[in-house]
Amino acid sequence: MKTILCIGMAGSGKTTFMQRLNSHLHASKEPPYVINLDPAVLKVPYGANIDIRDSIKYKKVMSNYNLGPNGAIVTSLNLFSTKIDQVIGLVEKKQDKYQHCIVDTPGQIECFVWSASGSIITESFASTFPTVIAYIVDTPRNTSPTTFMSNMLYACSILYKTKLPMVVVFNKTDVQDASFAKEWMTDFEAFQEALRADQELNGEAGLGSGYMGSLINSMSLVLEEFYSQLDMVGVSSFTGEGVSDFLRAVDKKAEEYETDYKAEYQRLQAEKAQKEEARKEKSLEKLMKDLGVQDATKKPADTDDGVDVVSDIEEGEHDGIVPRDEDEDVEREYTFAGDQRLSGEVNEDTTPDLQQKYEDAMARTARSASSQTAENIARYIRQ
C-alpha cells in the first residue's frame, strides 16, 4: 500500500484535489483508504475511512483549552497522535485490500509540518508504508516569479523536514496552465527572463526589483539541485486532467522510496532509537546513583572515605539496608529540577510541611525495609 500525504497551503485546492483523486481511483476500480486529519473542516466532499473529527471535537478543544483556531488545530493533532499506533494498525489490516492510502492534512500547513504531532504521524506512516508527499500549489497565484520562488522554498523545507519523496502538484490548471512553472524549474535562463520582465512591468514597486530580485536570483541557483529531486505535474481538480500523470509520478516516487529513502529512513530511526536508549541508560545510572545503588555487574570502586554504599553491605540482619540512626540529626534539602512551583530548594524555611513529610517517609522506609537486597533493587529499577 502506498501512502500519499497531501500537504498544501490554505486555498490551494487540497481538499478538492483529494475528492478528485478519490473519485478517479474509484472509477479505476482501485478505491483508496481515506484519512482526514483536518479537525476544523466543516464538511469533506469524500467518504473518509478514518476521520479525526470522530474522536476530536475541534470547538470543544478551543473552549476547554482557551485556544485560538491554529492552537486548537495543533492541540487536536497532538491528542490524535497519541493514538497513531491504532491508526497504523487499522491501515495495516487493510493493506491487502487497498493499493493507496490518501491522507488529507490541515490547510494551516505549519500546524502539521512543523509540529511534533505532525512529525509523529508522518514518521509512523513512513516507517510502515512507502510514503510520498504531494505538495499542492495554487497555480494561478504563482505566476509571479517571487511568489513562485516562495512556494518552492516552502516545498524545499518540507522535503528536508520530512525526508520523504515529493511530487509538486500544480493545481487549478483549468484556470492557469502550469507549463510556465515546469519551464522555470528546468531552465534557469527562462526564470531570469521572467524575473526581468516582472521588474520592467512593475518598476521599482515590483517585487522582482532591488534586493528582492538579487535574492531570488541567488535562490534560483541554489534550488537547481533541489528541482532535480522533484517530480512536477499539472492537475485540474475541477476537470480531472492530469490525475493519471500524478499517480504515475507517485508510483515512481514509491520505487525511489524503496531504493533510496527507506534505507536512509531506517538509519535515522535506528539512530534515534540508539540515542533514546542511551538517554534511558544515563537516566537509570543517575537514578541508581541518587539512590546509592551501584550496578551489580560492575566492581565496586575503592573509596578512601570509608562510606558504605548499599551494594557493599552483605546480607545480614537488615539484608543490605542500612537503617537511619534515630539519634542522627541531619538537615536535608531536596531539589526538584524543572518544577518552577517549588522554586529550586525545598527545606524547612520554604515548605516545612513538605520537608517533614519527606523526612518521615524516608525514616519509615528505612525502618521497614528488611528483605530487599541491592541486586533486587537494581533489577527493579531496570524493569
Side-chain angles (χ1 to χ4, degrees):
M1 178 189 288
K2 293 181 281 289
T3 300
I4 304 171
L5 293 176
C6 296
I7 299 175
M9 296 184 182
S12 62
K14 178 167 48 60
T15 301
T16 309
F17 173 76
M18 281 279 297
Q19 178 193 23
R20 174 57 64 181
L21 182 60
N22 179 52
S23 176
H24 180 89
L25 289 172
H26 272 280
S28 302
K29 306 301 181 182
E30 297 178 358
Y33 196 85
V34 184
I35 300 176
N36 173 46
L37 295 181
D38 189 352
V41 65
L42 295 178
K43 183 178 180 181
V44 291
Y46 50 80
N49 298 90
I50 297 177
D51 196 330
I52 187 174
R53 298 176 301 164
D54 293 337
S55 54
I56 308 294
K57 302 303 180 185
Y58 173 71
K59 290 187 177 180
K60 285 288 186 182
V61 171
M62 289 183 67
S63 175
N64 293 342
Y65 295 95
N66 296 320
L67 297 171
N70 287 354
I73 290 175
V74 173
T75 303
S76 297
L77 287 172
N78 290 341
L79 295 171
F80 188 77
S81 66
T82 61
K83 303 296 183 182
I84 191 61
D85 55 331
Q86 298 181 20
V87 175
I88 297 298
L90 291 171
V91 179
E92 281 185 309
K93 291 179 181 179
K94 302 292 185 179
Q95 61 182 342
D96 294 334
K97 183 179 179 181
Y98 298 93
Q99 296 186 26
H100 297 88
C101 174
I102 57 178
V103 183
D104 195 7
T105 60
Q108 288 73 8
I109 190 171
E110 68 281 356
C111 294
F112 181 81
V113 175
W114 302 110
S115 66
S117 54
S119 298
I120 292 171
I121 293 170
T122 302
E123 291 176 5
S124 298
F125 277 106
S127 60
T128 311
F129 311 103
T131 305
V132 178
I133 300 294
Y135 181 64
I136 317 300
V137 178
D138 188 344
T139 308
R141 295 183 180 178
N142 281 268
T143 53
S144 166
T146 305
T147 310
F148 173 82
M149 182 56 61
S150 299
N151 252 294
M152 292 301 101
L153 287 173
Y154 221 125
C156 179
S157 66
I158 293 173
L159 177 68
Y160 289 107
K161 176 67 169 63
T162 60
K163 296 180 176 61
L164 290 171
M166 174 182 288
V167 178
V168 178
V169 180
F170 284 89
N171 197 14
K172 306 181 184 179
T173 55
D174 55 294
V175 178
Q176 173 67 53
D177 187 73
S179 57
F180 74 93
K182 185 174 183 179
E183 184 180 19
W184 288 354
M185 293 175 66
T186 55
D187 189 345
F188 174 75
E189 294 297 333
F191 182 78
Q192 294 292 307
E193 182 61 32
L195 193 61
R196 284 192 294 269
D198 180 71
Q199 183 176 353
E200 292 174 0
L201 178 63
N202 296 289
E204 292 299 324
L207 294 176
S209 62
Y211 170 76
M212 183 61 72
S214 176
L215 176 63
I216 294 174
N217 275 328
S218 301
M219 293 308 301
S220 62
L221 287 172
V222 171
L223 292 181
E224 188 174 1
E225 177 63 24
F226 166 67
Y227 291 150
S228 66
Q229 306 297 321
L230 294 178
D231 275 14
M232 171 266 182
V233 295
V235 173
S236 171
S237 297
F238 181 71
T239 65
E241 181 183 2
V243 176
S244 298
D245 295 336
F246 168 75
L247 290 174
R248 283 192 290 269
V250 168
D251 291 339
K252 177 183 175 182
K253 288 300 180 181
E255 293 176 1
E256 286 186 17
Y257 171 89
E258 295 290 350
T259 57
D260 301 331
Y261 288 85
K262 185 177 182 178
E264 178 67 10
Y265 217 87
Q266 290 176 341
R267 184 189 68 79
L268 292 173
Q269 292 282 52
E271 186 177 298
K272 183 177 179 181
Q274 187 177 6
K275 289 181 179 179
E276 180 66 16
E277 188 65 27
R279 186 192 65 79
K280 289 181 179 179
E281 184 66 24
K282 187 176 180 180
S283 298
L284 174 62
E285 290 177 0
K286 183 179 179 181
L287 180 59
M288 293 175 69
K289 182 179 178 180
D290 290 344
L291 293 175
V293 179
Q294 185 172 349
D295 192 343
T297 62
K298 296 182 180 179
K299 184 178 179 180
D302 294 334
T303 57
D304 296 330
D305 55 6
V307 178
D308 289 329
V309 296
V310 174
S311 58
D312 293 330
I313 305 299
E314 296 181 357
E315 293 187 23
E317 181 182 356
H318 302 291
D319 293 327
I321 303 298
V322 181
R324 178 183 172 186
D325 190 348
E326 296 296 334
D327 298 328
E328 183 183 8
D329 187 14
V330 180
E331 284 290 329
R332 289 187 171 88
E333 291 186 347
Y334 303 91
T335 302
F336 296 84
D339 195 336
Q340 300 299 325
R341 297 172 300 171
L342 299 179
S343 302
E345 299 295 336
V346 179
N347 51 46
E348 291 182 352
D349 296 329
T350 57
T351 52
D353 293 340
L354 181 61
Q355 175 74 9
Q356 188 61 43
K357 287 181 181 179
Y358 276 110
E359 291 189 5
D360 293 344
M362 292 183 67
R364 288 196 302 271
T365 301
R367 287 195 297 268
S368 62
S370 60
S371 62
Q372 187 74 2
T373 63
E375 182 178 354
N376 288 337
I377 293 176
R379 184 180 300 111
Y380 176 78
I381 293 173
R382 287 195 181 91
Q383 292 175 348

